[in-house]
Amino acid sequence: MTILVTGATGRVGRHVVDQLVQRGAKARVLTRDASRANVPALVEVVQGDLLDIDAVRSAFNGVSTLFLLNAVTGDEFTQAIITLNIAREAGIERVVYLSVFEADRAVNVPHFAVKFGAERMLVEMGFSATVLRPTYFIDNELMIKDVILSHGVYPMPIGSKGIAMVDARDIAEVAAIELIRRDTAPGKLPIETINLVGPDTLAGTDVAKIWSDLLGRPIIYGGDDPSGFERNVASFMPKWMAYEMRLMAERYLSDGMIPEAGDVQRLTQMLGRPLHSYRDFAAAIATAA
C-alpha cells in the first residue's frame, strides 16, 4: 500500500518523503504545483490542493496511511476537515498528523486552535493516529538570519521562559518512523501524542549569546515586544497572519515551550541518535556567512 504525504514541498514534508524512500516505503505526494515537487523518481505525484475535492479523492486511491500537514492559512481548518472526511470516505484510518506543541492550551492562537480541533476530529472520528506536536522550528531562523548577521540583533521575541526549538529533520524522521509503524501494523493502533522538542531549552538571551559566540561579536536580544514584532512582520505578510504571530509570541513570553519530563530521551531513543541542536544549526549559518 501507499503512504500519502501532504505538504511535501515544505520544510518538513520534503524530509518526510526522503525518509520514507530511504526506509523502502511506497510514497505519494499531493502538491499544488507538480513542477516544484522535486521528489525521488519512484514517488508518485498528484497535483492539487486540500480544497480540490477531486484531486484529494484521486490522491487517496490505493492509500493506506496519511501524513497530514496543513500550512498556516486562513482556511486551514476547512482543509483539515475536508481531508479527514475524505480519508474516512476512502477507508483510510491510519494517520500521522502534524499539530503543534501544547495545542490544547494556546487556544487563543488561531493555528493552535485549528490544530487542536483537528486532533479532536481524529479522536471523535475513530482514526488510528499519531499526533506530532512540535515546538518552534529551528529552521524559522533562516527568515531572520540577515537581521542577525547585518544588524547584530536577534529579533524573535521568545522571552525568558525558554523554548526547546526543534529541527525540521528530526520532525520528519519521527514522522516517517510513525508512518511506517502504523502502515505496517497488523491491526488498529491507539491514538498517541508525541512532543517534538530540541535538546536545549533556550531563552532569548541564550540564543543571542550563541550567535555572539559563533560570530565573535556582540549580538543582542531584541527584547520582549510582541506588538513591535507584529508591526515588523506585517510589512511582508498579511496583517491577519502578523497578528497571529503576535499572539504566538505572547504565548512564548507567558509559557515558553518547555519539554515534559522524558520528551528528549524518548525522541533520542526513537531516532537512535542525538537531536539536532540550535548551536549546530546556527554554526552552519555563521560559517557560510
Side-chain angles (χ1 to χ4, degrees), residues 11-13 15-16 19 67 69 96-99 132-139 165-179 195-198 267 271 273 275-276:
R11 288 176 291 168
V12 173
H15 292 303
V16 172
Q19 284 288 332
F67 177 65
L69 186 162
V96 173
Y97 176 61
L98 192 69
S99 183
L132 302 178
R133 286 183 164 185
T135 58
Y136 178 104
F137 289 14
I138 292 177
D139 311 64
M165 301 185 197
V166 63
D167 192 289
R169 293 168 293 181
D170 293 340
I171 297 171
E173 191 167 349
V174 171
I177 289 168
E178 284 298 300
L179 284 164
N195 288 335
L196 296 177
V197 302
L267 296 173
L271 296 173
R273 59 167 174 79
L275 298 169
H276 290 93

Side-chain angles (χ1 to χ4, degrees), residues 193-265:
T193 299
I194 300 175
N195 288 335
L196 296 177
V197 302
D200 307 302
T201 302
L202 304 170
T205 52
D206 298 325
V207 174
K209 185 176 187 308
I210 288 173
W211 284 104
S212 297
D213 293 343
L214 292 171
L215 295 171
R217 53 187 170 87
I219 302 296
I220 64 169
Y221 173 52
D224 302 342
D225 183 12
S227 61
F229 178 63
E230 178 191 0
R231 288 192 299 272
N232 288 335
V233 298
S235 66
F236 59 86
M237 66 172 56
K239 289 185 178 180
W240 68 264
M241 187 178 290
Y243 181 65
E244 178 162 350
M245 295 302 102
R246 170 186 178 159
L247 294 173
M248 183 172 63
E250 289 173 350
R251 298 294 305 196
Y252 294 157
L253 302 186
S254 64
D255 293 65
M257 285 187 160
I258 302 170
E260 296 179 8
D263 280 348
V264 173
Q265 293 82 356

Side-chain angles (χ1 to χ4, degrees), residues 10 144 150 165 176 187 218 237 278-279 287:
I144 59 170
S150 301
M165 301 185 197
M237 66 172 56
Y278 186 94
R279 178 177 288 273
T287 301

